[in-house]
Each structure stands twice: as structure tokens, then as C-alpha cells.
Coordinates of all heavy atoms in Angstrom, one line a residue:
L1 N 104.0 73.2 91.7 CA 104.5 71.8 91.6 C 105.3 71.7 90.3 O 104.8 72.1 89.2 CB 103.3 70.8 91.6 CG 103.5 69.4 91.6 CD1 104.2 68.9 92.8 CD2 102.2 68.6 91.5
E2 N 106.5 71.3 90.4 CA 107.3 71.1 89.3 C 108.0 69.7 89.4 O 108.9 69.6 90.2 CB 108.4 72.2 89.1 CG 107.9 73.5 88.8 CD 108.9 74.6 88.7 OE1 110.1 74.2 88.6 OE2 108.6 75.8 88.8
G3 N 107.5 68.7 88.7 CA 108.0 67.4 88.9 C 107.5 66.9 90.3 O 106.4 67.0 90.6
N4 N 108.5 66.5 91.1 CA 108.2 66.1 92.5 C 108.4 67.2 93.5 O 108.2 67.1 94.7 CB 109.1 64.9 92.9 CG 108.7 63.7 92.1 OD1 107.5 63.5 91.8 ND2 109.6 62.8 91.9
K5 N 108.9 68.4 93.0 CA 109.2 69.5 93.9 C 107.9 70.4 94.1 O 107.1 70.6 93.2 CB 110.3 70.4 93.3 CG 111.6 69.7 93.2 CD 112.7 70.5 92.7 CE 114.0 69.8 92.6 NZ 115.1 70.7 92.2
K6 N 107.8 70.9 95.3 CA 106.7 71.8 95.6 C 107.2 73.2 95.9 O 108.3 73.3 96.6 CB 105.9 71.3 96.8 CG 104.9 70.1 96.5 CD 105.6 68.9 96.8 CE 104.7 67.7 96.5 NZ 105.4 66.5 96.1
F7 N 106.5 74.2 95.5 CA 106.9 75.6 95.7 C 105.8 76.4 96.2 O 104.6 76.1 96.0 CB 107.4 76.2 94.4 CG 108.6 75.5 93.8 CD1 108.5 74.4 92.9 CD2 109.9 76.0 94.1 CE1 109.6 73.8 92.4 CE2 111.0 75.3 93.6 CZ 110.9 74.3 92.7
V8 N 106.2 77.5 96.9 CA 105.2 78.6 97.3 C 105.8 79.9 96.7 O 107.0 79.9 96.4 CB 105.0 78.7 98.8 CG1 104.3 77.4 99.3 CG2 106.3 79.0 99.5
M9 N 105.0 80.9 96.6 CA 105.5 82.2 96.2 C 105.6 83.0 97.5 O 104.5 83.3 98.1 CB 104.6 82.8 95.2 CG 104.6 82.1 93.8 SD 106.3 82.0 93.1 CE 106.6 83.7 92.5
L10 N 106.8 83.3 97.9 CA 107.0 84.1 99.1 C 106.9 85.6 98.7 O 107.3 86.0 97.6 CB 108.4 83.8 99.5 CG 108.9 84.2 100.9 CD1 108.1 83.4 101.9 CD2 110.4 84.0 101.1
V11 N 106.4 86.4 99.6 CA 106.3 87.8 99.4 C 107.3 88.5 100.3 O 107.2 88.4 101.5 CB 104.9 88.4 99.7 CG1 104.8 89.9 99.4 CG2 103.9 87.7 98.8
G12 N 108.3 89.1 99.7 CA 109.4 89.7 100.5 C 109.0 91.1 101.1 O 108.0 91.7 100.7
A13 N 109.9 91.6 101.9 CA 109.6 92.9 102.6 C 109.6 94.0 101.5 O 108.9 95.0 101.7 CB 110.7 93.2 103.6
D14 N 110.2 93.8 100.3 CA 110.1 94.7 99.2 C 108.9 94.6 98.4 O 108.7 95.3 97.4 CB 111.4 94.6 98.4 CG 111.5 93.2 97.7 OD1 110.7 92.3 98.0 OD2 112.4 93.0 96.9
G15 N 108.0 93.7 98.8 CA 106.7 93.5 98.0 C 106.9 92.7 96.8 O 106.0 92.7 95.9
K16 N 108.0 92.0 96.6 CA 108.3 91.3 95.4 C 108.1 89.8 95.6 O 108.4 89.3 96.7 CB 109.7 91.5 94.9 CG 110.0 92.9 94.6 CD 109.3 93.4 93.4 CE 109.8 94.9 93.0 NZ 109.1 95.4 91.9
A17 N 107.6 89.1 94.6 CA 107.4 87.6 94.7 C 108.7 86.9 94.5 O 109.5 87.3 93.6 CB 106.4 87.2 93.8
S18 N 108.9 85.8 95.2 CA 110.1 84.9 94.9 C 109.6 83.5 95.2 O 108.9 83.2 96.1 CB 111.3 85.3 95.8 OG 111.0 85.1 97.1
K19 N 110.1 82.6 94.4 CA 109.7 81.2 94.5 C 110.6 80.5 95.5 O 111.8 80.7 95.6 CB 109.9 80.5 93.1 CG 109.3 79.1 93.1 CD 109.7 78.3 91.9 CE 109.3 78.9 90.6 NZ 109.5 78.0 89.4
R20 N 109.9 79.7 96.4 CA 110.6 79.0 97.5 C 110.2 77.6 97.5 O 109.0 77.2 97.5 CB 110.3 79.7 98.8 CG 110.8 79.0 100.1 CD 112.2 79.3 100.5 NE 112.5 80.7 100.7 CZ 112.3 81.3 101.9 NH1 111.8 80.7 102.9 NH2 112.7 82.6 102.0
E21 N 111.2 76.7 97.4 CA 110.9 75.2 97.5 C 110.5 74.9 98.9 O 111.1 75.3 99.9 CB 112.1 74.4 97.0 CG 111.7 72.9 97.0 CD 112.9 72.1 96.4 OE1 113.9 72.7 96.0 OE2 112.7 70.9 96.4
V22 N 109.5 74.1 99.1 CA 109.0 73.6 100.4 C 108.8 72.1 100.4 O 108.6 71.5 99.3 CB 107.7 74.3 100.8 CG1 107.9 75.8 101.0 CG2 106.6 74.1 99.9
E23 N 108.7 71.6 101.6 CA 108.3 70.2 101.7 C 107.0 70.2 102.5 O 106.8 71.0 103.4 CB 109.4 69.4 102.6 CG 110.7 69.3 101.9 CD 111.7 68.6 102.7 OE1 111.4 68.0 103.8 OE2 112.9 68.7 102.3
I24 N 106.1 69.3 102.0 CA 104.8 69.3 102.7 C 104.6 68.0 103.4 O 105.1 66.9 103.0 CB 103.7 69.6 101.7 CG1 103.6 68.5 100.6 CG2 103.8 70.9 101.1 CD1 102.4 68.6 99.7
G25 N 103.7 68.0 104.4 CA 103.3 66.9 105.2 C 101.9 66.5 104.8 O 101.6 66.3 103.7
Q26 N 101.1 66.5 105.8 CA 99.7 66.2 105.6 C 98.9 67.3 104.9 O 99.3 68.5 105.1 CB 99.0 65.9 106.9 CG 99.6 64.7 107.6 CD 98.9 64.4 109.0 OE1 98.1 65.2 109.4 NE2 99.3 63.3 109.6
F27 N 97.9 67.0 104.2 CA 97.1 68.0 103.6 C 95.6 67.5 103.5 O 95.4 66.3 103.5 CB 97.6 68.4 102.2 CG 97.7 67.3 101.2 CD1 96.7 67.0 100.3 CD2 98.9 66.6 101.1 CE1 96.8 66.0 99.4 CE2 99.0 65.5 100.2 CZ 98.0 65.3 99.3
T28 N 94.8 68.5 103.6 CA 93.3 68.2 103.5 C 92.8 69.1 102.4 O 93.5 69.8 101.7 CB 92.6 68.6 104.8 OG1 92.7 70.0 105.0 CG2 93.2 67.9 106.0
Q29 N 91.5 69.1 102.3 CA 90.8 69.9 101.2 C 91.1 71.4 101.5 O 91.1 72.2 100.6 CB 89.3 69.6 101.2 CG 88.6 70.4 100.1 CD 87.1 70.0 100.0 OE1 86.7 69.2 100.8 NE2 86.4 70.5 99.1
N30 N 91.2 71.8 102.8 CA 91.3 73.2 103.2 C 92.7 73.7 103.7 O 92.9 74.8 103.9 CB 90.3 73.5 104.3 CG 88.9 73.3 103.8 OD1 88.6 73.6 102.7 ND2 88.1 72.7 104.7
S31 N 93.6 72.7 103.9 CA 94.9 73.2 104.4 C 96.1 72.2 104.0 O 95.8 71.1 103.6 CB 94.9 73.2 105.9 OG 94.7 71.9 106.5
V32 N 97.3 72.8 104.1 CA 98.5 72.0 103.7 C 99.5 72.3 104.8 O 99.8 73.4 105.2 CB 99.1 72.5 102.4 CG1 100.4 71.7 102.1 CG2 98.1 72.3 101.2
E33 N 100.1 71.2 105.3 CA 101.1 71.3 106.3 C 102.5 71.5 105.6 O 102.9 70.6 104.8 CB 101.2 70.1 107.2 CG 102.3 70.1 108.2 CD 102.4 68.7 108.9 OE1 102.0 67.7 108.4 OE2 102.9 68.8 110.1
V34 N 103.2 72.6 105.9 CA 104.5 72.8 105.3 C 105.5 72.4 106.4 O 105.5 73.0 107.5 CB 104.7 74.3 104.9 CG1 106.2 74.5 104.4 CG2 103.7 74.7 103.8
T35 N 106.3 71.4 106.1 CA 107.3 70.8 107.1 C 108.7 71.4 107.0 O 109.4 71.3 107.9 CB 107.3 69.3 107.0 OG1 107.7 68.9 105.7 CG2 105.9 68.7 107.4
N36 N 109.0 72.0 105.9 CA 110.3 72.5 105.7 C 110.3 73.6 104.6 O 109.6 73.4 103.6 CB 111.3 71.4 105.3 CG 112.8 71.8 105.5 OD1 113.1 72.8 106.1 ND2 113.7 71.1 104.8
G37 N 111.1 74.6 104.7 CA 111.2 75.6 103.7 C 110.7 77.0 104.0 O 111.0 78.0 103.3
L38 N 109.9 77.1 105.1 CA 109.4 78.4 105.5 C 109.8 78.6 107.0 O 110.0 77.6 107.7 CB 107.9 78.4 105.4 CG 107.3 78.4 104.0 CD1 105.7 78.4 104.1 CD2 107.7 79.6 103.2
K39 N 109.8 79.8 107.4 CA 110.1 80.1 108.8 C 109.0 81.0 109.3 O 108.2 81.6 108.5 CB 111.4 80.7 109.0 CG 111.7 82.1 108.3 CD 113.1 82.5 108.5 CE 113.3 83.9 108.0 NZ 113.4 84.0 106.6
A40 N 108.8 81.1 110.6 CA 107.8 81.9 111.2 C 107.9 83.3 110.7 O 109.0 83.9 110.6 CB 107.9 81.9 112.7
G41 N 106.8 83.9 110.3 CA 106.7 85.3 109.8 C 106.8 85.4 108.3 O 106.5 86.5 107.8
D42 N 107.2 84.3 107.6 CA 107.2 84.4 106.1 C 105.8 84.6 105.6 O 104.8 84.1 106.2 CB 107.7 83.1 105.5 CG 109.2 82.9 105.6 OD1 109.9 83.9 105.9 OD2 109.7 81.8 105.3
K43 N 105.7 85.4 104.6 CA 104.4 85.7 104.0 C 104.4 85.1 102.6 O 105.3 85.2 101.8 CB 104.2 87.2 103.8 CG 104.0 87.9 105.2 CD 103.8 89.4 105.0 CE 103.7 90.0 106.4 NZ 103.5 91.5 106.2
I44 N 103.3 84.3 102.4 CA 103.2 83.6 101.1 C 101.9 84.1 100.4 O 101.0 84.5 101.0 CB 103.2 82.1 101.2 CG1 102.0 81.6 102.0 CG2 104.5 81.6 101.8 CD1 101.8 80.1 102.0
A45 N 102.0 84.1 99.0 CA 100.8 84.4 98.2 C 99.9 83.2 98.2 O 100.3 82.1 98.1 CB 101.3 84.8 96.8
V46 N 98.6 83.5 98.4 CA 97.6 82.4 98.3 C 96.8 82.6 97.1 O 96.8 81.8 96.2 CB 96.8 82.4 99.6 CG1 95.7 81.3 99.6 CG2 97.7 82.3 100.8
L47 N 96.0 83.6 97.1 CA 95.1 83.9 95.9 C 95.9 84.4 94.7 O 96.7 85.4 94.9 CB 94.0 84.9 96.3 CG 93.0 84.4 97.3 CD1 92.0 85.5 97.7 CD2 92.3 83.2 96.9
G48 N 95.9 83.8 93.6 CA 96.6 84.2 92.4 C 98.0 83.8 92.4 O 98.8 84.2 91.5
A49 N 98.5 83.0 93.3 CA 99.9 82.6 93.4 C 100.4 82.0 92.1 O 101.5 82.2 91.7 CB 100.2 81.7 94.6
R50 N 99.6 81.2 91.5 CA 100.0 80.5 90.2 C 100.2 81.5 89.1 O 100.8 81.1 88.1 CB 99.0 79.5 89.8 CG 98.9 78.3 90.8 CD 97.9 77.3 90.4 NE 97.9 76.2 91.4 CZ 97.6 75.0 91.1 NH1 97.3 74.6 89.9 NH2 97.6 74.1 92.1
L51 N 99.7 82.7 89.2 CA 99.9 83.7 88.2 C 101.1 84.5 88.3 O 101.5 85.3 87.5 CB 98.6 84.6 88.1 CG 97.3 83.9 87.9 CD1 96.2 84.9 88.0 CD2 97.2 83.2 86.6
L52 N 101.8 84.4 89.5 CA 102.9 85.2 89.8 C 104.2 84.6 89.2 O 104.4 83.4 89.1 CB 103.2 85.3 91.3 CG 102.2 86.1 92.1 CD1 102.4 85.9 93.6 CD2 102.3 87.6 91.7
N53 N 105.1 85.5 88.8 CA 106.4 85.2 88.4 C 107.4 85.8 89.3 O 107.1 86.7 90.0 CB 106.7 85.7 87.0 CG 105.8 85.1 85.9 OD1 105.8 83.9 85.8 ND2 105.0 85.9 85.2
E54 N 108.6 85.2 89.3 CA 109.7 85.7 90.2 C 109.9 87.2 89.9 O 109.9 87.7 88.8 CB 111.0 85.0 89.8 CG 112.1 85.2 90.7 CD 112.1 84.3 91.9 OE1 111.5 83.2 91.9 OE2 112.8 84.7 92.9
G55 N 109.9 88.0 91.0 CA 110.1 89.4 90.9 C 108.9 90.3 90.7 O 109.0 91.5 90.7
D56 N 107.7 89.7 90.5 CA 106.5 90.4 90.3 C 106.2 91.2 91.6 O 106.4 90.7 92.7 CB 105.3 89.5 90.0 CG 105.2 89.0 88.6 OD1 106.0 89.5 87.8 OD2 104.4 88.1 88.3
S57 N 105.6 92.4 91.5 CA 105.1 93.1 92.6 C 103.8 92.5 93.2 O 102.9 92.1 92.4 CB 104.9 94.6 92.2 OG 106.1 95.2 91.9
V58 N 103.7 92.5 94.5 CA 102.5 92.0 95.2 C 101.9 93.0 96.1 O 102.7 93.7 96.8 CB 102.9 90.7 96.0 CG1 101.7 90.1 96.7 CG2 103.5 89.6 95.1
V59 N 100.6 93.2 96.1 CA 99.9 94.0 97.0 C 99.2 93.1 98.0 O 98.4 92.3 97.7 CB 98.9 94.9 96.3 CG1 98.1 95.7 97.3 CG2 99.6 95.8 95.3
I60 N 99.6 93.3 99.3 CA 98.9 92.6 100.4 C 97.7 93.3 100.8 O 97.7 94.5 101.2 CB 99.9 92.4 101.6 CG1 101.1 91.6 101.1 CG2 99.2 91.6 102.7 CD1 102.2 91.4 102.1
R61 N 96.6 92.6 100.8 CA 95.3 93.1 101.2 C 94.9 92.5 102.5 O 95.1 91.3 102.7 CB 94.2 92.9 100.1 CG 94.6 93.5 98.8 CD 93.4 93.6 97.9 NE 93.8 94.0 96.6 CZ 93.8 95.3 96.2 NH1 93.5 96.2 97.0 NH2 94.2 95.6 94.9
E62 N 94.2 93.2 103.3 CA 93.7 92.7 104.6 C 92.6 91.7 104.3 O 91.8 91.8 103.4 CB 93.1 93.8 105.5 CG 94.2 94.7 106.0 CD 93.6 95.7 107.0 OE1 92.4 95.7 107.2 OE2 94.4 96.5 107.5
E63 N 92.5 90.6 105.2 CA 91.5 89.7 105.1 C 90.2 90.4 105.6 O 90.2 90.9 106.7 CB 91.8 88.5 106.0 CG 90.8 87.3 105.9 CD 91.3 86.1 106.7 OE1 92.5 85.9 106.9 OE2 90.4 85.4 107.2
P64 N 89.1 90.3 104.8 CA 87.9 91.0 105.2 C 87.4 90.7 106.6 O 87.4 89.5 107.0 CB 86.9 90.5 104.2 CG 87.7 90.1 103.0 CD 89.0 89.6 103.6
G65 N 87.2 91.7 107.4 CA 86.6 91.5 108.7 C 87.6 91.2 109.8 O 87.3 91.1 111.0
T66 N 88.9 91.1 109.5 CA 89.9 90.7 110.5 C 90.9 91.8 110.8 O 91.5 91.7 111.9 CB 90.7 89.4 110.1 OG1 91.5 89.8 108.9 CG2 89.8 88.3 109.7
G67 N 91.1 92.7 109.9 CA 92.1 93.7 110.1 C 93.5 93.2 110.0 O 94.5 93.8 110.3
K68 N 93.6 91.9 109.5 CA 94.9 91.3 109.3 C 95.2 90.9 107.8 O 94.2 90.6 107.1 CB 95.0 90.0 110.1 CG 94.9 90.1 111.6 CD 95.1 88.8 112.3 CE 94.0 87.9 112.1 NZ 94.1 86.7 112.9
P69 N 96.4 91.0 107.4 CA 96.7 90.5 106.0 C 96.6 89.0 105.9 O 96.6 88.3 106.8 CB 98.2 91.0 105.8 CG 98.7 91.4 107.1 CD 97.6 91.5 108.1

């Protein structure tokens, strides 16, 4: 959050973080609806995202018990 703008940290195919502005809709304690700024298949950092800077390397780990990132 920067002023009224909302951002996510996108993880590119090269494993590097990049900041992406998004628009959000409804949100709850456990989820946020992104209405604009992402497309299907985009990967975003969740845990530790606030610690990332543009261009930082990101390691994607599987979600325990799912076999999925």
C-alpha cells in the first residue's frame, strides 16, 4: 500500500520479484479479491512479500501436503 495505490510482488519466470499495481474489490480476513492488474497464471509472493524489493530473487516452495507451489 502506497498512498491509495495497492501493489503485489509478482514473481517472474526468471524468479525475480517485480512490483505490480492492482485494484482490489472485496476482502475478508482470509482473502482479497483482485479485480484488475493480474492475469491468470501470474504468481505472486505471499509470505514475506513486504520484505521483497524490485529485482530480488525468489524461491518458490511447494505448499505442504499439496505438491503445488
